[in-house]
Amino acid sequence: MQYFLPLEKLYHWEKNTPNNIYLHQPINGIYQEYSWLQVGIEVRKMAAYLASLQLPKESKIGILSKNCAHWIIADLAIMMAGYVSVPLYPNLSADSINQILLHSDTKVLFVGKLDHFEAIKPGIPSNIRCISFPYYEHKEYDNWKDLVKTIEPIKENIQRKPNDLATIIYTSGTTGTPKGVMHNFYSFGFACTHALQLAGVGPESSFFSYLPLSHIAERLLVEMGSIYSGGTVFFAESMETFSKNLRQAKPTIFLAVPRIWAKFQEEILKKIPQKKLSILLNIPLVSSIVKNKIKKNLGLHKAKNIFTGAAPMPVSLMQWFQKIGIPIQEAYAMTENCCYSHVTLNNQIKMGYVGKALPLCEVKLSETKEILIKHEALTIGYYKDEEQTKQIFNHEGYFKTGDRGEIDSEGFLKITGRVKEIFKSSKGKYIAPSPIELKLLSSTTIEQVCVVGEGMPQPLALVVLSAWAKKQNTNELELLLEATKQSINNTMDQHEAVQKIIVVKDDWTMDNGFLTPTLKIKRAIIEKQYSAYFEKWSSQKESIIWE
């Protein structure tokens, strides 16, 4: 089949709805608005400048910025100029940025909205030409506005070929060194055309953009989703204005990761304690008023599709939101399959499952229960890494996800863990940590958890306390943690039972290297940090241990 490519959709909206506002960028609390026509002019001018550099065909152009209007405009300009985009997470370390820029052979780098630029600036090689975004000027670099002020925009509608390389997306590195996942324009066309049609997304749709556009989920859902649907995008200005910006945006489509949903829950319960909330939700007339007020306060009262993804979400948390009138649709996909795999439709939510396969997506399980995916938008491989590329496909051309799963009789998929995360206890029993971690995360006392136990009699759970738990009395907290441990152990086989809960001192963050930019724990790093204490902790008599 032939599909519209991103630039073709830009030309369509530029011509047919030129005055419709596409991008809403808050600057010091005031929204800067860009119509499709204005976006088109900005794209055409910057594309003309990039083309004037006469770089080799398919040269790599990086984007290092938090989400903003010019992130999307820059991406489209790179496409129009005939080059390949390399998005970088704005919270990477200088070393990681340097590694990606060198590996990708990046020639030009757009530098924009960043929190701690001076700390990461040393990671940018001196031979890379840098261009500073409007509103987020870096005075040592060429300024976007100055570069396009006198340049003539490209007049013709440049066409890219479906098989042209569109982007190299570097994975967030849970398993080691980030790999450059290559996708062509056909992947975007295939994935967006089928996914948006299924979700009923159109020109009336609005998106709220705050998760990194450098991640495949935000790139496909928000950037490509808005380009293909003709919808509108609102950006968050900062963490401090996040809640206000979300209420102002009133999106019809919203995506969050489980940790953000947990934060939402925490904020709601600060205003309405659980006991009072439960009473109010049991009074018919009052219940609907309370639900509507909560949704309006969050900014989700107009949302028709509310998604969670990037990491497993505890069923108990999804059930809690369902009770307050916010049905959350779990999605499952990866960078390598262009964020096109499984999604839960809002009229077919099945708790604990990530939905059914999307149209034209073949899915099956290997003998070891590994989830295998096949469709027309799979990666064309890892940049400069033929050996790794060969390893991710089986002999039938299916992509090996590395995740283990189960498929029920209705075709719903459940993720049961990572293939390589399974460890063997000293009793010779195999244990999958992910399901145990999900059960522990259902407790309001636990913010983060990593279950370990290779070569030990029973698993240990390393936990970071929630903000609420940190304010509680230590003795009472130990009783709560013990009750949580006993409760989940009663639901598991004996060999899976958690022997000890270890409360670690420090939070796991991106800054200290324990989390990926998408907020997944780096299991290998965490185990390395604490492994010297495993044997000691295992032999202690206490059930709850404080590091």
Side-chain angles (χ1 to χ4, degrees):
M1 257 183 86
Q2 283 191 326
Y3 299 99
F4 287 112
L5 305 184
L7 285 177
E8 293 175 293
K9 297 304 291 186
L10 169 66
Y11 304 146
H12 172 83
W13 305 118
E14 188 185 34
K15 177 183 176 182
N16 294 294
T17 59
N19 298 319
N20 284 9
I21 301 300
Y22 173 32
L23 304 174
H24 303 254
Q25 176 72 52
I27 304 292
N28 298 323
I30 299 170
Y31 279 92
Q32 306 298 317
E33 297 180 334
Y34 299 83
S35 68
W36 282 103
L37 180 61
Q38 289 170 312
V39 167
I41 291 169
E42 285 279 291
V43 169
R44 290 172 182 278
K45 284 190 170 187
M46 181 48 70
Y49 172 75
L50 292 175
S52 74
L53 300 178
Q54 297 185 321
L55 301 171
K57 186 182 177 184
E58 292 197 341
S59 284
K60 316 306 182 290
I61 312 289
I63 306 175
L64 177 60
S65 174
K66 295 173 79 172
N67 299 11
C68 60
H70 279 81
W71 202 110
I72 292 176
I73 294 169
D75 196 23
L76 289 164
I78 293 166
M79 295 179 200
M80 192 178 287
Y83 301 135
V84 177
S85 65
V86 180
L88 293 94
Y89 285 99
N91 45 21
L92 289 174
S93 67
D95 286 345
S96 295
I97 288 170
N98 185 260
Q99 180 185 42
I100 290 170
L101 292 176
L102 291 176
H103 184 266
S104 62
D105 304 309
T106 291
K107 305 294 184 190
V108 177
L109 179 67
F110 287 104
V111 182
K113 183 181 181 183
L114 295 163
D115 289 334
H116 308 290
F117 179 61
E118 289 306 314
I120 62 178
K121 183 180 174 184
I124 302 173
S126 58
N127 64 331
I128 290 180
R129 182 190 298 260
C130 293
I131 300 171
S132 177
F133 278 171
Y135 302 111
Y136 310 105
E137 283 85 0
H138 301 279
K139 300 192 184 304
E140 60 270 62
Y141 301 139
D142 291 332
N143 185 282
W144 177 300
K145 286 182 178 177
D146 293 338
L147 293 177
V148 302
K149 192 180 292 180
T150 58
I151 203 160
E152 278 296 309
I154 291 175
K155 295 285 194 296
E156 65 269 32
N157 289 349
I158 302 290
Q159 301 295 337
R160 298 297 299 272
K161 294 175 182 175
N163 289 329
D164 283 354
L165 180 60
T167 190
I168 303 174
I169 304 172
Y170 280 80
T171 57
S172 53
T174 53
T175 55
T177 304
K179 297 184 287 290
V181 180
M182 297 186 288
H183 277 292
N184 56 29
F185 288 105
Y186 185 88
S187 289
F188 289 157
F190 174 92
C192 288
T193 300
H194 294 295
L196 297 181
Q197 190 174 20
L198 189 70
V201 179
E204 72 292 340
S205 299
S206 57
F207 304 79
F208 185 64
S209 183
Y210 68 101
L211 294 172
L213 277 163
S214 43
H215 186 264
I216 191 67
E218 188 85 353
R219 187 94 175 274
L220 259 289
L221 180 67
V222 175
E223 183 191 12
M224 292 300 155
S226 62
I227 289 170
Y228 275 78
S229 68
T232 186
V233 178
F234 291 80
F235 295 94
E237 183 163 14
S238 66
M239 286 304 296
E240 290 70 34
T241 65
F242 177 89
S243 297
K244 179 184 176 184
N245 294 151
L246 180 53
R247 285 193 295 271
Q248 290 168 331
K250 302 182 282 290
T252 61
I253 297 158
F254 182 74
L255 167 67
V257 296
R259 283 195 71 193
I260 289 172
W261 289 115
K263 294 289 185 189
F264 281 169
Q265 181 193 42
E266 198 174 292
E267 290 303 311
I268 292 165
L269 292 176
K270 276 183 187 175
K271 296 173 183 173
I272 315 177
Q274 185 63 61
K275 190 174 180 181
K276 182 180 179 181
L277 181 60
S278 298
I279 292 169
L280 294 174
L281 292 176
N282 280 322
I283 305 171
L285 197 59
V286 175
S287 176
S288 60
I289 294 171
V290 170
K291 288 177 184 178
N292 286 334
K293 187 173 182 181
I294 290 172
K295 284 192 281 188
K296 200 162 187 176
N297 283 343
L298 285 175
L300 298 180
H301 53 296
K302 292 191 175 181
K304 296 177 181 176
N305 290 287
I306 302 173
F307 297 107
T308 186
M313 182 156 168
V315 169
S316 59
L317 188 57
M318 291 185 70
Q319 289 171 333
W320 188 88
F321 275 100
Q322 184 126 0
K323 285 176 185 172
I324 62 169
I326 299 176
I328 297 175
Q329 304 160 241
E330 196 156 7
Y332 166 71
M334 302 177 77
T335 310
E336 287 86 347
N337 56 36
C338 202
C339 201
Y340 192 85
S341 179
H342 289 71
V343 72
T344 303
L345 300 178
N346 51 24
N347 61 349
Q348 289 185 328
I349 291 175
K350 193 166 190 175
M351 298 290 178
Y353 291 79
V354 294
K356 297 181 180 180
L358 285 160
L360 302 180
C361 175
E362 298 177 47
V363 56
K364 65 180 182 178
L365 303 178
S366 72
E367 290 181 2
T368 59
K369 304 296 182 185
E370 181 176 10
I371 301 163
L372 306 175
I373 301 290
K374 189 178 183 181
H375 57 61
E376 295 179 22
L378 296 181
T379 177
I380 54 177
Y382 294 126
Y383 187 58
K384 294 182 180 176
D385 199 336
E386 290 183 19
E387 191 55 42
Q388 285 277 356
T389 299
K390 289 175 188 173
Q391 291 177 20
I392 60 169
F393 296 103
N394 74 2
H395 66 283
E396 297 175 293
Y398 280 81
F399 166 62
K400 299 188 287 186
T401 63
D403 290 319
R404 297 175 81 250
E406 300 169 1
I407 301 173
D408 73 5
S409 58
E410 296 178 289
F412 284 87
L413 175 68
K414 178 189 286 240
I415 312 298
T416 58
R418 291 286 293 170
V419 172
K420 292 180 181 177
E421 283 177 0
I422 295 173
F423 57 82
K424 189 191 280 190
S425 71
S426 61
K427 299 172 184 175
K429 296 283 189 178
Y430 286 100
I431 298 164
S434 185
I436 305 171
E437 290 164 354
L438 268 176
K439 290 180 180 181
L440 285 163
L441 284 169
S442 66
S443 168
T444 55
T445 58
I446 297 172
E447 172 86 5
Q448 297 165 307
V449 60
C450 179
V451 170
V452 299
E454 179 68 40
M456 293 189 292
Q458 293 290 143
L460 305 177
L462 311 177
V463 307
V464 173
L465 295 176
S466 67
W468 173 84
K470 288 174 183 175
K471 298 172 186 173
Q472 307 309 306
N473 175 279
T474 302
N475 292 332
E476 291 177 5
L477 191 55
E478 283 200 6
L479 291 174
L480 287 171
L481 289 169
E482 181 62 36
T484 296
K485 182 169 75 71
Q486 292 299 333
S487 175
I488 69 157
N489 282 350
N490 290 338
T491 68
M492 297 187 296
D493 291 339
Q494 178 56 39
H495 69 277
E496 298 174 308
V498 173
Q499 182 191 20
K500 317 269 185 184
I501 289 180
I502 319 298
V503 181
V504 302
K505 290 177 191 171
D506 300 321
D507 290 357
W508 298 331
T509 66
M510 289 172 287
D511 291 338
N512 60 25
F514 289 109
L515 290 187
T516 72
T518 53
L519 306 183
K520 297 188 188 84
I521 62 168
K522 292 186 177 181
R523 194 176 298 276
I525 302 295
I526 292 170
E527 289 195 20
K528 184 179 179 182
Q529 173 73 15
Y530 302 103
S531 60
Y533 306 100
F534 289 172
E535 196 172 322
K536 172 189 162 188
W537 288 335
S538 184
S539 62
Q540 283 181 229
K541 64 178 183 179
E542 295 89 356
S543 178
I544 309 299
I545 297 170
W546 300 78
E547 186 203 359

